[in-house]
């Protein structure tokens, strides 16, 4: 069959493309930014009329919509990407004689409780309640999966990252249940659906196990073969307040909408995944290939260790700049420069030059990190250490060990440099 997959460069779309190609089908990849031979450019923000899609769906047997976003970049994105464009795509497909349309929706969309769910529900209803009755020969299927696990999925990486922390802080939501399914099981279900003569109109999909967020994080930690870690249960009110603040932070996974959906849970009592797959479903313990678990765990930990290193390093540079700029009395700072032979205007120039350089390093650490920056910072620290060792040797014997701490900073820089150049 000739199958169009819209969103073929996303987590679900890429997996479906590979699985259906292996099954012998001809895949047309609809992507926003074509990069492979045969990719077809699509833009759900702009293509909202059936005429925009007719050439793309012509001669296709199946159309799969796997396009989706979790956050709006601008107001109206949910409506455009989840509702208007899919409805136009579906109408064009029906008019061009496509045999089967599969809409990848989301479990919980029928509640319509958030802007995300309402936009998904609008496309679902259009397909099943308006288009299917009007085109009798058209097979229409809406799939509503629960939380999908994939090694390359943003939500999966986030949850594994949280699970790998030395201290697991989790909202206390004992009634909110999750039912994660593996991406390979979803692909098996879609592959079988494409070949069915009488597919279901609506199917809710979930994994074989049900978890709270806390028990799921602990299961992921066990899956990564990490030792036990203490758990702190955060009050719901604290997380809700954080969600309201983080709503204005670009790319933040925690927003009022995502917090509301998390509180509602994401599980089904009408799970049809095993029936559609035709084989036993993968449990959380088998989500990762056994031979790659150690490597994946290392990558997961680096995803939060490296940003933590950068944050600490930036704080060191910026706080040092503030101390030199005036938080430390000026006469005390100038007294430290006197043994170097720096006095008067020369001392002031050296002091405030160091302030600018430290502040620049701190800002660059946050905004423009890279191997060159780490080498420059290491060079400056070595220079400072040598100068102080020569002209202020007492600092080597100081009980607080200010010069010795430079060794720890150099080690941190070495870690950052090695990770970004390996």
């Amino acid at each position: 069959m000739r199958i169009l997959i819209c969103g073929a460069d996303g987590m679900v779309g890429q997996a479906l493309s590979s699985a259906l190609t292996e099954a012998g089908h001809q895949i047309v990849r609809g992507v926003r930014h074509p990069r492979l031979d045969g990719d077809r450019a699509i833009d759900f923000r702009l293509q909202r009329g059936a005429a925009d899609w007719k050439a793309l769906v012509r001669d296709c047997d199946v159309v799969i919509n796997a396009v989706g976003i979790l956050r709006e970049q601008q107001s109206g994105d949910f409506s455009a990407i989840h509702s208007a464009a899919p409805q136009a795509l579906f109408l064009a497909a029906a008019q061009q004689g496509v045999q089967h349309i599969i809409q990848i929706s989301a479990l919980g969309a029928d509640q319509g409780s958030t802007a995300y769910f309402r936009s998904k529900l609008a496309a679902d209803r259009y397909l099943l309640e308006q288009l299917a009755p009007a085109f009798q020969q058209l097979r229409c299927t809406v799939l509503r999966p629960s939380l999908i696990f994939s090694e390359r999925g943003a939500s999966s990486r986030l949850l594994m990252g949280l699970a790998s922390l030395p201290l697991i802080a989790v909202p206390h939501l004992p009634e909110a249940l999750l039912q994660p399914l593996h991406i390979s099981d979803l692909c098996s279900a879609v592959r079988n659906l494409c070949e069915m003569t009488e597919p279901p109109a609506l199917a809710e999909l979930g994994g074989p196990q049900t978890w709270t967020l806390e028990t799921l994080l602990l299961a992921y930690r066990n899956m990564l073969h990490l030792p036990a870690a203490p758990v702190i249960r955060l009050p719901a009110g604290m997380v809700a307040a954080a969600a309201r603040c983080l709503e204005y932070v670009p790319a933040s996974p925690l927003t009022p909408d995502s917090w509301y959906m998390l509180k509602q849970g994401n599980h089904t009592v009408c799970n049809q995944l095993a029936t559609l797959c035709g084989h036993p479903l993968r449990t959380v313990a088998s989500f990762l290939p056994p031979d790659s678990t150690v490597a994946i765990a290392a990558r997961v930990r680096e995803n939060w260790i490296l940003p933590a290193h950068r944050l600490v390093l930036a704080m060191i540079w910026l706080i040092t700049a503030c101390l030199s700029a005036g938080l430390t009395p000026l006469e005390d700072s100038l007294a430290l420069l006197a043994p170097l032979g720096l006095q008067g205007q020369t001392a002031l120039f050296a002091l405030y030059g160091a302030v600018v350089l430290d502040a620049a390093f701190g800002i660059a650490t946050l905004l423009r990190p890279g191997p060159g920056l780490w080498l420059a910072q290491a060079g400056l620290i070595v220079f400072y250490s040598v100068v102080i060792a020569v002209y202020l040797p007492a600092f080597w014997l100081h009980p607080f060990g200010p010069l010795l701490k430079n060794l720890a900073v150099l080690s941190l820089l070495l870690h950052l440099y090695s990770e970004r150049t390996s």
Side-chain angles (χ1 to χ4, degrees), residues 73 90 136 162 182:
Q73 293 183 5
F90 299 158
Q136 295 295 323
L162 293 174
H182 196 272

Side-chain angles (χ1 to χ4, degrees), residues 166-180:
L167 179 68
I168 299 178
V170 60
H172 187 49
L173 299 171
E175 306 300 324
L177 301 178
L178 303 170
Q179 201 168 354

Side-chain angles (χ1 to χ4, degrees), residues 9 12 14 46 53 56 67 117 140 194 220 228 242 257 279 288-289 312 337 369 390 393 410 418:
D9 52 354
V12 173
Q14 281 195 11
L46 301 177
W53 297 100
L56 186 61
V67 175
F117 278 151
C140 300
C194 289
Y220 278 6
D257 273 5
H279 59 69
L288 293 177
V312 169
L337 295 175
V390 172
L410 288 172
S418 62

Side-chain angles (χ1 to χ4, degrees), residues 16 24-25 37 48 99 107 128 131 162 176 209 219 234 245 248 272 284 366 373 382 388 421:
L16 289 176
H25 300 294
D37 291 341
R48 305 189 191 184
Q99 301 170 17
L107 189 61
L128 298 181
L131 211 58
L162 293 174
Q209 300 163 292
L234 303 176
C245 296
Y248 304 101
Q272 295 174 255
V284 166
L366 295 174
L373 178 65
V382 170
I388 293 173
T421 56

